[in-house]
Amino acid sequence: MQHVLVIGAGTMGSVHASSYAKMENVELAGIVDIRKQIGGPLAAKLNTNYFTSFEEAVTQLPRIDVIDVCLPTYLHKKYVLKAADLGKHVICEKPLARTKEDAKEMIGYCKEKGVKLFVGHVLRFFPEYVKAKEIIDKNEIGKPAMARTTRGGIFPTAWNDWYADYKNSGGLVLDMIIHDIDFLRWCFGDVKRVYAKSVLGRSFNRIDYALLTLRFENGMIAHVEGTWAHEGFSTYLEIAGDNGIIEFDSKKEKSIYAQIRQKENGGGVAVPSSPLKENPYYQELAHFMECIENDREPIVTAEDALKAVEISLAALESIETGKVVEIKPSLTHA
């Protein structure tokens, strides 16, 4: 049984803590949050210990095996290193870090300390996206050539309004579009170059919008759209191959839709699918727990998370310079 300490009781910390509380092979050892009015009630609801500081928790708890870091992005490095110093395995919410240098340091430090580092790129556990990758891998739509994704909603609010601090959050691209970047890289491999535009620097007043064009090493092209300018959260995915197309729209009842061209008569056939409605966050964390128990490689590695950070930062550089940004091959392979 793994004893898990969750650091941060915000939106993601609450989701993670609630997931651990439901797992049979996991003990939710405690929750840390400096906000008593947030952390206290959550801990009481989940029948676990509450602490106002990391130091208080690690001093008082008799056993901790895993530390789950659900803090603002700019605090990830500090607490991942603290956890590694204690010899604890670490789960860190995405993005892994605000800078590529910090992400590399975190990965290297955890390896040096002999602890596992997992990063919460949860899109790989959403059934619709898993199904889309299965369709691609089975070559059902032929050779993919183009992809289009959209993700967005209202500007998020959180502790200290940290999302609005671009230096700390990386804004829309690093915090939210990184979901689709990781998924597309999972499907199509490494990205060669990025060109991006956004409203950042022009009207970043609790409104943000960005559009990225990714060129993959295999020639695939993807248009990735993100917005913090709309009411209601929604996502959209479209992947076109030379034998069909995949479409997913979270605003529609049908979860995922594949149109495959039939060679016999040149017509098309709809292939709808209704994946099980499982909690992807629970599935993700249960997978990480199983990887710890059995010393297995996770579906998404820390190196994958580093790649996603690199691509996101390349997009931010393109936004700032107005130029295409080439992504140099990394010495660290995912």
Side-chain angles (χ1 to χ4, degrees):
M1 177 174 286
Q2 300 296 321
H3 291 237
V4 183
L5 174 66
V6 175
I7 312 297
T11 302
M12 290 313 305
S14 177
V15 170
H16 282 208
S18 297
S19 296
Y20 292 127
K22 297 175 184 176
M23 296 181 191
E24 293 182 359
N25 63 331
V26 172
E27 176 74 25
L28 178 59
I31 296 170
V32 176
D33 199 292
I34 61 174
R35 302 164 299 176
K36 293 182 179 180
Q37 73 277 18
I38 301 294
L42 178 62
K45 176 184 176 182
L46 299 178
N47 193 30
T48 190
N49 301 292
Y50 166 65
F51 305 94
T52 57
S53 74
F54 178 82
E55 289 71 23
E56 181 186 5
V58 299
T59 300
Q60 294 188 20
L61 286 174
R63 177 181 170 185
I64 303 171
D65 302 302
V66 182
I67 293 177
D68 187 330
V69 180
C70 290
L71 296 169
T73 300
Y74 67 96
L75 294 174
H76 286 182
K77 176 184 173 182
K78 176 181 178 180
Y79 284 92
V80 166
L81 299 190
K82 280 177 175 282
D85 276 334
L86 294 172
K88 311 302 180 184
H89 299 304
V90 194
I91 294 171
C92 180
E93 248 309 296
K94 63 79 208 156
L96 178 55
R98 178 61 180 86
T99 70
K100 180 170 63 176
E101 292 72 25
D102 281 353
K104 287 182 176 179
E105 182 181 347
M106 292 157 71
I107 292 172
Y109 199 79
C110 286
K111 288 181 178 178
E112 178 186 323
K113 295 295 182 177
V115 302
K116 296 180 182 296
L117 173 60
F118 304 93
V119 186
H121 279 285
V122 73
L123 212 56
R124 298 195 187 203
F125 298 85
F126 269 76
E128 296 86 358
Y129 288 83
V130 171
K131 183 63 178 179
K133 187 174 190 302
E134 288 177 358
I135 292 171
I136 294 165
D137 290 346
K138 291 178 181 178
N139 202 37
E140 291 183 23
I141 61 167
K143 183 180 180 180
M146 292 283 296
R148 184 160 60 98
T149 68
T150 298
R151 177 174 304 272
I154 197 168
F155 195 98
T157 56
W159 170 78
N160 216 23
D161 202 21
W162 71 273
Y163 285 107
D165 187 335
Y166 174 72
K167 290 182 179 179
N168 283 336
S169 71
L172 174 71
V173 173
L174 187 63
D175 185 79
M176 191 174 70
I177 295 178
I178 196 170
H179 276 299
D180 298 294
I181 288 171
D182 175 68
F183 170 74
L184 291 168
R185 184 178 165 273
W186 186 36
C187 292
F188 307 116
D190 286 332
V191 172
K192 185 176 183 179
R193 57 180 177 264
V194 181
Y195 182 67
K197 289 286 186 181
S198 88
V199 300
L200 183 61
R202 280 170 277 182
S203 59
F204 189 61
N205 183 23
R206 304 196 67 79
I207 290 177
D208 200 2
Y209 174 89
L211 184 63
L212 284 55
T213 299
L214 309 180
R215 179 64 179 257
F216 291 78
E217 293 282 359
N218 64 3
M220 176 86 179
I221 293 176
H223 297 290
V224 183
E225 180 185 39
T227 175
W228 276 343
H230 292 82
E231 294 287 342
F233 181 78
S234 64
T235 64
Y236 179 80
L237 169 69
E238 183 178 86
I239 301 171
D242 58 12
N243 194 50
I245 192 167
I246 300 168
E247 183 182 23
F248 164 64
D249 187 341
S250 67
K251 291 183 287 187
K252 296 181 179 179
E253 289 185 11
K254 196 174 294 179
S255 57
I256 189 165
Y257 185 88
Q259 178 109 357
I260 312 300
R261 182 170 60 85
Q262 300 299 299
K263 294 180 180 180
E264 292 80 2
N265 55 22
V269 58
V271 186
S273 174
S274 299
L276 294 175
K277 293 182 179 179
E278 299 173 326
N279 184 331
Y281 298 96
Y282 180 98
Q283 297 299 320
E284 173 192 54
L285 298 172
H287 171 69
F288 291 160
M289 294 296 105
E290 195 271 335
C291 288
I292 292 171
E293 291 278 358
N294 298 296
D295 194 25
R296 287 181 50 202
E297 276 286 295
I299 291 171
V300 54
T301 66
E303 287 76 19
D304 287 326
L306 169 60
K307 288 283 191 176
V309 168
E310 288 179 337
I311 298 165
S312 300
L313 294 176
L316 291 178
E317 181 182 343
S318 178
I319 289 168
E320 292 169 4
T321 63
K323 299 178 180 179
V324 172
V325 176
E326 300 281 340
I327 300 179
K328 298 177 181 178
S330 174
L331 295 177
T332 304
H333 297 285

